[in-house]
Amino acid sequence: MRRLLPHPADDVDLRECYDAPRPRPAHRPWVSLCMVAGLDGSTVVDRTSRGLSNPTDQQLLLTLRSFADVLLVGAGTVRAEGYGPPRRPGQRLAIVSRSGDFDFATPLFRSGQVLLVLPSDAPAVPVPSVRAGTGDVDLAGALVQLDAAVVQAEGGATLNGLLAAADLIDELNLSISPQLNGGSGPRLTAGAPPFSHRMQLAHVLEDDGFLFTRYLRAR
């Protein structure tokens, strides 16, 4: 692993590169988005991100999770990627869903580490939930209810689009996979209205042809 920007250096430590201040904004947690994308912007291959990743990218995901109190993930991504309970004691997985339609007998929901983020008019569920919005989830309203300093969002693209449209992304950790994939898979955000949010480049790392970029919201 080498650092290209800032201050080029060989053999840098992954954790040291990402162990940075994440100050909690007023009234809500710091939101960090972690994603991998191919050179043409695709975020999935055969419906999951695994085909875009490599061991360093997977280690980065675990490293970034270690800084977060809550992992925020869309329901479709939880199903497609086969999410299990968080590994870190006390960490919670917050699943964003319109309906709350899940099999609550699975080990994931029996772990006691899961909560649902739902619209206020969604049906009752047998696990803890945070509710905001009607018909669709109001992510800004939901985030203020989370007892967390840092929330790591992990997709999918629809959730990313909702976060970006509401200007809730404070940090973007984007791994760029050296692949062209084609197809009609989702890009980094999906379904969001037009917006323009400037991000500041904090660093670029390289390993095995992958670029690991960290951007901060310019506010």
Side-chain angles (χ1 to χ4, degrees):
M1 170 74 73
R2 61 188 179 125
R3 183 172 59 225
L4 304 181
L5 291 171
H7 315 304
D10 293 327
D11 196 24
V12 295
D13 181 79
L14 190 67
R15 184 173 186 87
E16 288 182 3
C17 290
Y18 285 90
D19 190 2
R22 292 174 171 86
R24 192 182 194 275
H27 310 306
R28 67 167 177 84
W30 175 277
V31 177
S32 171
L33 174 60
C34 178
M35 292 292 292
V36 60
L39 294 175
D40 59 0
S42 177
T43 57
V44 297
V45 175
D46 295 330
R47 300 183 65 185
T48 77
S49 63
R50 297 185 189 97
L52 291 165
S53 189
N54 78 342
T56 303
D57 178 57
Q58 293 160 16
Q59 184 59 46
L60 172 59
L61 176 64
L62 296 178
T63 299
L64 290 170
R65 284 179 175 177
S66 73
F67 302 131
D69 305 299
V70 173
L71 308 178
L72 184 73
V73 189
T77 297
V78 167
R79 296 184 182 102
E81 302 281 354
Y83 268 69
R87 298 181 184 181
R88 201 186 86 190
Q91 192 174 64
R92 294 169 295 158
L93 174 65
I95 304 175
V96 181
S97 171
R98 290 180 181 175
S99 66
D101 184 16
F102 294 95
D103 179 1
F104 294 104
T106 62
L108 173 62
F109 286 98
R110 294 202 309 267
S111 70
Q113 292 177 267
V114 176
L115 63 90
L116 293 183
V117 180
L118 301 166
S120 59
D121 54 347
V125 291
V127 297
S129 65
V130 167
R131 294 172 180 264
T134 302
D136 291 308
V137 174
D138 172 8
L139 285 175
L143 284 171
V144 300
Q145 301 178 55
L146 293 179
D147 181 16
V150 177
V151 169
Q152 171 149 301
E154 299 182 1
T158 300
L159 174 61
N160 299 345
L162 292 172
L163 288 168
D167 197 11
L168 294 170
I169 298 174
D170 302 299
E171 173 183 1
L172 171 61
N173 295 297
L174 177 62
S175 300
I176 302 174
S177 175
Q179 298 185 45
L180 289 169
N181 302 293
S184 58
R187 272 46 190 171
L188 190 67
T189 62
F195 60 83
S196 180
H197 297 159
R198 181 63 185 264
M199 306 293 286
Q200 294 177 333
L201 181 63
H203 76 217
V204 181
L205 312 179
E206 186 276 334
D207 181 70
D208 191 30
F210 281 71
L211 296 178
F212 301 95
T213 67
R214 180 172 186 255
Y215 290 88
L216 301 175
R217 177 74 170 96
R219 299 192 184 280

